[in-house]
Amino acid sequence: MFDTLTLAALPPEDEALRPQIRAFIASHVAGLPADRRARSWQGFDAAFSRALGQAGFLGLTLPKAYGGQERGPFARFVVVEELLSAGAPVAAHWIADRQSAPLILGYGTDEQRRSYIPRICRGEALFCIGMSEPGSGSDLASVRTRAERTDKGWRVNGQKIWTTNAMHSDYMIALVRTSGTPEDRHAGLSQLIIDLKAPGVSVRPIVDLTGDAHFAEVFFDNVELSADALIGREGEGWKQVTAELAFERSGPERIYSSVVLLDAWIRHVQAVGRGDAGVLTGRFMAEIATLRAMSIACTARLALGESPVVEASIVKDRGTTFEQDLPVAIGDDLAAHPDEPVSDELYRTLLYVTHIAPSFSLRGGTREILRGIIARGMGLR
Amino acid sequence: MDAHALLEPFDRMLAAISAPAAVRAVEAGGDASAMLSELAQSGFLDALVPEEAGGAGLSLAGIAPLIEAIGAHAVPLPVAETMVARALLARAGVASRDGPIALATAGVPGQIVPCGLVAAHVLIDLGDRLVLASADALAVTPTGVHHALAARIGWEGTPVGRDITRPPAGLRALAAIVRATLIAGAAHRLLEVTTRHANERVQFGKPIGRQQALQQNLAVMAENAVAARIAAQLGCAQGLDVSLAAAAVAKSTASSVAARLAGTAHAVHGAIGISEEFDLQLLTRRLHEWRLADGSEGYWNGVLGAARLADPAGSVDWIRAEVFA
Ligand SMILES: Cc1cc2nc3c(=O)[nH]c(=O)nc-3n(C[C@H](O)[C@H](O)[C@H](O)COP(=O)(O)OP(=O)(O)OC[C@H]3O[C@@H](n4cnc5c(N)ncnc54)[C@H](O)[C@@H]3O)c2cc1C
């Protein structure tokens, strides 16, 4: 079973990107303290994202014809690995680069591709994902936000929630009902590109338990959209959103959320010269190395043009488990040495990651849902 | 020669000579010589020996699927260990010996060695050199564990045998990678039989595999099996001149999932999995034995962590340089 997840190497031409992206990161984020860098996915810096785009580090998987670099998933792996292990603030371009642009490339008209993708590659068009609603979390097919046809296009009413970066974004790709009722489940759903500056859209940020506001509620009150807001085909929204989730879930980024904390802790242990942290450190190294190998194996399937949803779920579930174990074990190690001073920076990083860690196995599909996908891949359902 | 082309005939041979009944017979003290001569005649024991020395000249990564198959078939002989030992002998220019060779990686008398009871020779790491000793010249004592083929290997003073150059990272690192690969093979077989059982066993009017709680546990089991295999592949990628770090990643990961995999497999099987006549125990007993052999996860974590803490680099950079290079 799962014989396709086998050791793969990063091609040398993609490895060659590493010194360049490293130098770029060093010149942009070197001064940030660890507790800022630990936010990485949630660190919003539009100027940084635009600079990345100008330097050619966005759109690595996208065709040159639309402003991309046409290099493929391995190149993206190298760049993303460097960004995340340094804790660079990637939130501004993250969603557009990872899934909105590939979705538009796959299902959009040529006009839509030309309109959005080059701007995404420059880090200038920011996107958010409008899937979840108050009554629709894991059961995504039950969405109630509706779009009706009008003379000029579409009229949208309803509400999304937990929408990452809605308050900073230019567009939302929303999953909405265009016919039938929630009882019709997968039939009658469509995806619309909603200009968040359109009249009738209101965005209310939601503050999380760490004090950050990275996600939001978004309300649609008779929002009028032109006909070209529809992406792909009417009624095909479920199929498209499944493909979009495959982009979201197949990335290498599901293993590095706590790595800034890991390195801050290792620097602490090295500085105090303590000899009893070796076994724990070794466990972390064995786990992270194994996960990296799994993640590259998954990337290799992407590079072959596959959509490795089951394999990616394996990497994500195991990766987020590791990401969540890290702050627990590090907290125990530090507090098992109560007479050893811990810097504010390390302490804040530890508590930030500890508090935000539950989200690692919620965003992009919960642990239980992913294990269900794996079980289906095993022929159990 | 392409190892993948070899896998099919090798697997077919193992299925024929190492069927569960044959495994049980050897474990009960029966004669393994027929199994052994079949293996010797097949030529596979020299898979890692260079072509100029009469072997197949395959790499460790190349034969990893074969080692996995040995694990999956619960072969009651140290076949993978013998392959590695014969390669080390050929390298040292020492004429190869007939019969199975076990690997003793601790350097102290009294250590527990997998397949020690059925080995004709033991390759012992004494820290500065390896010694190939005949089992007849060693004290080989059963451990007393039911049906286990592991044995305590002892000697007086220093063991008598042929000296061989010690690989720089030591025999334990190489043995750990082989062990991790055996674990990966057994783990995947265990996953298959457990998934099949979940789809066939009916309770409450439907296969137990339809129960979400079991599906979730089986999904984690799959993750663990995948992790063991890829970690073993990381180890094998370095060939016979293994690095300590790659060996540590391989064995730490494989050992830490081995016990969990065995636990889930038994839980899903229920009582029948505990019974001696059911084949599950042939695999799960081995998983536990291999987990402990050549250093457990705790041992290798200590090795890996000490190396990591001695380096100022970031963690991702460190594993790229030490494990993936
Ligand atoms: C940081 C963060 C960012 C997010 N960003 C976005 C975004 O940008 N856009 C967006 O659309 N959404 C976003 N989400 C929402 C996310 O997709 C949902 O949280 C997720 O799909 C789960 O939905 P829920 O929170 O309503 O939980 P529920 O679906 O209510 O689940 C609650 C619990 O029940 C379990 N459960 C539910 N159904 C089953 C089942 N059938 N079997 C077993 N267990 C089950 C779940 O696993 C979970 O443990 C974000 C969430 C977080 C935490």
Side-chain angles (χ1 to χ4, degrees), chain A residues 42 129-132 137-138 161-164 214-215 359 362-364 366 368-369, chain B residues 212:
Chain A
Q42 268 136 10
I129 310 162
M131 295 187 193
S132 305
S138 299
I161 195 169
W162 314 125
T163 317
T164 297
H214 42 81
F215 45 24
S359 71
L362 295 174
R363 58 187 186 189
T366 68
E368 289 72 21
I369 295 301
Chain B
Q212 196 180 40

Side-chain angles (χ1 to χ4, degrees), chain A residues 127-171:
Chain A
F127 277 72
C128 60
I129 310 162
M131 295 187 193
S132 305
E133 298 182 3
S136 303
S138 299
D139 181 14
L140 184 56
S142 67
V143 292
R144 290 173 176 275
T145 297
R146 282 197 84 87
E148 302 163 293
R149 279 215 186 260
T150 61
D151 298 346
K152 285 172 287 162
W154 302 93
R155 180 179 303 124
V156 185
N157 280 289
Q159 181 196 347
K160 294 290 173 183
I161 195 169
W162 314 125
T163 317
T164 297
N165 278 332
M167 55 292 212
H168 303 300
S169 294
D170 303 299
Y171 305 98

Side-chain angles (χ1 to χ4, degrees), chain B residues 96-309:
Chain B
S96 135
R97 306 285 198 274
D98 285 344
I101 307 173
L103 306 179
T105 57
V108 292
Q111 64 187 292
I112 295 168
V113 173
C115 282
L117 288 182
V118 287
H121 312 271
V122 184
L123 189 60
I124 305 168
D125 189 344
L126 292 178
D128 54 346
R129 67 206 147 92
L130 306 181
V131 170
L132 181 69
S134 162
D136 299 336
L138 297 163
V140 178
T141 329
T143 59
V145 175
H146 189 58
H147 284 339
L149 294 171
R152 272 192 200 283
I153 300 293
W155 57 82
E156 297 282 332
T158 43
V160 185
R162 177 72 200 248
D163 279 8
I164 291 166
T165 322
R166 181 179 185 266
L171 190 58
R172 181 177 293 152
L174 190 51
I177 289 170
V178 170
R179 208 66 68 200
T181 310
L182 289 167
I183 289 175
H188 278 264
R189 177 58 52 86
L190 207 58
L191 181 65
E192 281 162 30
V193 301
T194 307
T195 306
R196 197 181 324 129
H197 181 80
N199 272 330
E200 287 169 358
R201 167 76 173 162
V202 173
Q203 288 290 285
F204 299 104
K206 57 183 177 185
I208 55 171
R210 295 283 177 278
Q211 302 289 352
Q212 196 180 40
L214 261 76
Q215 291 174 356
Q216 303 263 314
N217 289 341
L218 285 162
V220 175
M221 191 178 174
E223 293 172 17
N224 282 332
V226 167
R229 173 181 281 163
I230 211 148
Q233 288 172 342
L234 272 173
C236 289
Q238 315 236 344
L240 292 178
D241 297 305
V242 302
S243 79
L244 270 182
V249 168
K251 188 60 167 49
S252 163
T253 300
S255 278
S256 71
V257 301
R260 283 184 263 158
L261 274 156
T264 307
H266 275 295
V268 171
H269 277 86
I272 196 169
I274 302 294
S275 66
E276 188 171 49
E277 68 175 56
F278 199 76
D279 294 340
L280 194 68
Q281 49 98 1
L282 299 177
L283 290 168
T284 56
R285 281 192 291 108
R286 278 175 175 70
L287 279 178
H288 289 299
E289 182 181 290
W290 292 337
R291 171 188 175 222
L292 304 178
D294 308 312
S296 67
E297 62 270 33
Y299 171 81
W300 285 110
N301 286 341
V303 170
L304 196 55
R308 166 68 188 97
L309 288 174

Side-chain angles (χ1 to χ4, degrees), chain A residues 3 6-7 18 22 263 270 278-279 282-283 286 289-290 292-293 317-318 368 371 374 378-381, chain B residues 188 195 199 209-210 215-216 220 223-224 227 229-230 233 252-253 301 304-305 308-309 311 315 317 320 324:
Chain A
D3 291 348
T6 174
L7 196 62
R18 203 179 289 277
R22 281 185 102 103
D263 282 341
Q270 289 170 329
V279 173
R283 191 188 103 199
T290 304
R292 181 175 192 263
D317 185 32
R318 199 177 175 82
E368 289 72 21
R371 289 182 183 172
I374 299 166
M378 297 169 74
L380 289 163
R381 23 189 317 231
Chain B
H188 278 264
T195 306
N199 272 330
R210 295 283 177 278
Q215 291 174 356
Q216 303 263 314
V220 175
E223 293 172 17
N224 282 332
R229 173 181 281 163
I230 211 148
Q233 288 172 342
S252 163
T253 300
N301 286 341
L304 196 55
R308 166 68 188 97
L309 288 174
D311 195 300
S315 295
D317 287 342
R320 280 202 301 114
F324 286 81

